[in-house]
Amino acid sequence: MTLFTIKRNLESRMLGNSHVRFGVGGGVQLPALHHGTNDPTAHAEIVAIRRASAKLGRFDLSDCTLYSTCEPCPMCLSAIHRAGIRTLYFGADRHDAAGGGFDDEFIYQLMEGTADSPLLRPVIVDREECADLFNEWNAKSDRTMY
């Protein structure tokens, strides 16, 4: 099923093609393509996760599998982790993507603390007041944990 799904992604000849499968034996497949939008977060993996969560009516996708033509970028990898997806299949890796003009190495360096961003200047404001919101969250009896 893995090779078939990746091959199906390749047959579409689209970069940024992902599928989420859920259910017994692969069950339902929700394809997602990244194209035709100006939303910088609408990567195929994100779109597939959004569609699967909407279809299933939940954010826990730990029983789902994600298939992608390429290794997810840091944003998508974070979303995959947040969704609880435990199995990810992909074809091309981040180095292949960089060769195609999709280079996230700078983001990896930012995450490792080995680079500074000339575009982003984080400024912490009202930390105590904002951090207190987590205390309020933890005190809620009806909260839903991720």
Side-chain angles (χ1 to χ4, degrees):
M1 179 188 316
T2 303
L3 183 58
F4 171 76
T5 303
I6 294 292
K7 177 137 180 60
R8 203 164 162 197
N9 284 350
L10 289 172
E11 287 171 356
S12 72
R13 306 310 300 160
M14 296 292 293
L15 287 174
N17 191 348
S18 294
H19 293 79
V20 171
R21 284 188 174 269
F22 55 90
V24 177
V28 179
Q29 176 174 293
L30 293 173
L33 299 172
H34 175 276
H35 61 87
T37 177
N38 290 321
D39 180 352
T41 68
H43 293 196
E45 297 91 340
I46 301 289
V47 174
I49 289 168
R50 289 174 181 162
R51 292 186 68 197
S53 293
K55 175 81 173 173
L56 296 171
R58 56 188 165 90
F59 56 80
D60 178 6
L61 303 180
S62 58
D63 59 341
C64 297
T65 302
L66 183 74
Y67 299 85
S68 184
T69 52
C70 189
E71 178 179 0
C73 74
M75 175 186 67
C76 292
L77 189 58
S78 295
I80 291 164
H81 173 74
R82 284 287 184 180
I85 295 173
R86 296 182 179 152
T87 306
L88 163 69
Y89 295 100
F90 64 87
D93 67 16
R94 69 178 80 170
H95 307 290
D96 301 316
F102 300 93
D103 191 354
D104 291 322
E105 185 58 32
F106 182 70
I107 297 171
Y108 289 110
Q109 291 173 358
L110 280 173
M111 292 169 32
E112 293 169 357
T114 59
D116 291 320
S117 173
L119 303 175
L120 180 65
R121 292 181 198 89
V123 178
I124 298 173
V125 295
D126 299 325
R127 184 192 161 275
E128 289 183 27
E129 291 87 349
C130 293
D132 195 46
L133 294 172
F134 289 104
N135 293 329
E136 291 178 27
W137 169 256
N138 285 330
K140 288 177 57 92
S141 62
D142 64 340
R143 73 180 188 268
T144 301
M145 297 301 293
Y146 289 95

